[in-house]
Amino acid sequence: MNCVEFLAGRCSSCSQLAVPYAEQLAQKQQKLALLMASFTGAELLPAVASDVQGFRTKAKMVVSGTAAEPVLGILNGQQPVDLSACPLYPPAFEPAFALIKRFIQRAGLTPYQLEQKQGELKLVLLSQSQHSGRFMLRFVLRSKNCLASIQKHLTWLQQQWPELEVCSVNLQPVHMAVLEGPEEIVLTSADLLREQLNGIPLYLTPQSFFQTNSTVAAALYATAKQWAEPLSGHKLWDLFCGVGGFGLHLASSTQGQVRALTGIEIAPKAIASATRSAAELGLTEVKFQALDATAFAKAAEQRPDLLLVNPPRRGLGSELCNSVLALQPAWLIYSSCNPDTLASDLALLTTEYQLLKVQLFDMFPHTHHAEVLTLLQRRDLLS
């Protein structure tokens, strides 16, 4: 992948860009093999590769410059770097960024200046549905001072950009390196962006988490479903379920086995999205609840046959691992975005579980990051 900003030394976000992609993947696989070396009997499967460019369907752009000449990208020190043409994004992003810049000019949105603590517009967040090609646009503002101007000029933007499905404002008044605040103001009639992976509809709200690499995410979900198909048992729990990507894939079996799904996620809007998807799929044995995953697992009186977990980078931690051990589900599928915390959690879980399969999914090319999917079985059930 050729990147002018990387070659010029202005952007180092893709820290491994100078390394040939095949070598990047081999290095990640080698690191994973070392982390998993102590878990005997596990099968390390070949890594799932990504496209090397045009794969990132979600952009986070710092807004700098001026209202007359806005810059969308990053700050290299105090120097604005325009990443509108970044090759990580699909082709439709560059013209979208050009329209957003024109909108900023028309609406007179003053970029926030970190040093001076002045200005209003901090970030532009842009997501695209791989399925429909439609967009969700979010403006992160310091206050409501520019809200009326955004509302006034939004019709113009929608006329210029028919693919814009959802537009919102997020208020982040704190002078800190915090991506967004709790208050979201949706400005369009639509408040959800519909994605579809492997035939499963997923509804994204402005503040819901979703993978940045939709193609590899589809492969990840499909693999988890493939691993789960032959497993016995009817009850499935999906902890940290988000909008339901994993759980809905596993609940809607292609081999006639339909599982009773309980999905747990702390964000109520994500739960509402997952519930809508389940209804659209005609799944009746499904219950999504807005609860803390650790507290839910600790208080549970019944156990699932299959437990699926997809925690944030910090991993499960000892408390939730101990709850899993106490519950004793027959099977465990663990998807991790941090191989190091995964290894720490596995050290606790494998006292009573056998690690069977491990596979790396390269969700984040040109970086050291990787997604890892694992399958474990309770030791007393091993044949």
Side-chain angles (χ1 to χ4, degrees):
M1 184 179 82
N2 182 53
C3 176
V4 174
E5 304 303 335
F6 179 82
L7 293 173
R10 291 187 290 265
C11 179
S12 57
S13 299
C14 296
S15 61
Q16 300 301 294
L17 191 55
V19 180
Y21 183 63
E23 188 176 337
Q24 290 181 38
L25 207 56
Q27 289 175 359
K28 290 182 181 183
Q29 185 79 337
Q30 183 179 27
K31 179 187 175 183
L32 181 60
L34 290 172
L35 284 172
M36 299 294 114
S38 61
F39 306 111
T40 57
E43 179 186 11
L44 180 59
L45 296 166
V48 174
S50 170
D51 293 330
V52 297
Q53 66 183 62
F55 59 83
R56 190 177 176 92
T57 54
K58 188 175 181 180
K60 178 185 73 174
M61 300 297 227
V62 174
V63 184
S64 56
T66 64
E69 295 185 10
V71 178
L72 304 181
I74 61 170
L75 289 174
N76 183 3
Q78 296 302 311
Q79 186 64 38
V81 180
D82 195 310
L83 297 181
S84 298
C86 175
L88 294 182
Y89 302 119
F93 272 61
E94 189 170 359
F97 288 136
L99 281 171
I100 293 167
K101 288 179 183 177
R102 289 172 61 192
F103 179 80
I104 291 170
Q105 292 167 340
R106 288 178 68 94
L109 306 181
T110 307
Y112 184 71
Q113 299 176 17
L114 197 62
E115 291 294 317
Q116 292 82 4
K117 299 182 183 180
Q118 296 177 344
E120 291 295 326
L121 180 57
K122 294 184 172 184
L123 297 164
V124 162
L125 308 177
L126 185 65
S127 302
Q128 185 184 32
S129 166
Q130 185 186 54
H131 176 68
S132 68
R134 299 184 72 78
F135 284 91
M136 178 189 300
L137 171 64
R138 302 172 65 203
F139 296 101
V140 180
L141 302 177
R142 184 178 70 161
S143 73
K144 293 183 179 179
N145 288 348
C146 292
L147 181 58
S149 184
I150 291 175
Q151 292 171 317
K152 175 183 176 181
H153 294 278
L154 182 57
T155 300
W156 173 86
L157 183 61
Q158 292 172 307
Q159 290 171 346
Q160 301 296 316
W161 190 10
E163 298 80 14
L164 180 60
E165 181 82 4
V166 182
C167 183
S168 67
V169 161
N170 179 271
L171 297 178
Q172 202 291 82
V174 184
H175 182 70
M176 298 174 61
V178 178
L179 178 62
E180 60 186 59
E183 185 177 357
E184 192 86 18
I185 304 168
V186 178
L187 306 177
T188 47
S189 56
D191 60 355
L192 297 170
L193 182 66
R194 189 182 191 275
E195 182 58 281
Q196 183 170 307
L197 301 181
N198 307 315
I200 303 294
L202 301 168
Y203 289 93
L204 312 182
T205 69
Q207 291 183 290
S208 61
F209 168 79
F210 196 70
Q211 300 286 4
T212 60
N213 190 328
S214 299
T215 301
V216 176
L220 176 69
Y221 295 148
T223 301
K225 179 174 181 175
Q226 181 186 20
W227 289 3
E229 290 281 8
L231 306 183
S232 59
H234 181 61
K235 293 181 181 178
L236 164 67
W237 288 3
D238 181 4
L239 303 188
F240 309 98
C241 69
V243 297
F246 275 110
L248 293 168
H249 274 79
L250 272 61
S252 51
S253 172
T254 54
Q255 295 185 6
Q257 180 185 8
V258 179
R259 299 184 193 271
L261 167 63
T262 298
I264 303 299
E265 168 63 47
I266 196 68
K269 289 184 178 180
I271 289 298
S273 293
T275 302
R276 175 172 176 171
S277 295
E280 188 171 323
L281 290 166
L283 298 173
T284 56
E285 290 191 85
V286 171
K287 180 172 62 176
F288 288 103
Q289 295 178 280
L291 299 169
D292 176 77
T294 302
F296 174 82
K298 190 173 183 178
E301 296 180 355
Q302 295 182 325
R303 69 185 179 200
D305 301 300
L306 169 59
L307 175 62
L308 192 149
V309 295
N310 181 29
R313 287 188 58 79
R314 66 176 182 272
L316 297 178
S318 59
E319 184 180 2
L320 187 45
C321 282
N322 287 331
S323 294
V324 172
L325 294 173
L327 283 168
Q328 294 196 323
W331 305 93
L332 174 63
I333 293 179
Y334 185 154
S335 182
S336 169
C337 60
N338 186 341
D340 293 310
T341 56
L342 170 65
S344 298
D345 288 342
L346 289 177
L348 297 174
L349 294 168
T350 52
T351 57
E352 296 186 31
Y353 284 82
Q354 172 64 45
L355 181 63
L356 300 177
K357 294 181 182 180
V358 181
Q359 191 164 24
L360 185 149
F361 292 77
D362 196 19
M363 201 79 73
F364 318 101
H366 317 307
T367 74
H368 289 295
H369 300 297
E371 189 86 15
V372 179
L373 189 68
T374 63
L375 173 65
L376 301 93
Q377 184 181 17
R378 215 170 69 215
R379 289 188 181 277
D380 65 325
L381 298 177
L382 291 169
S383 55

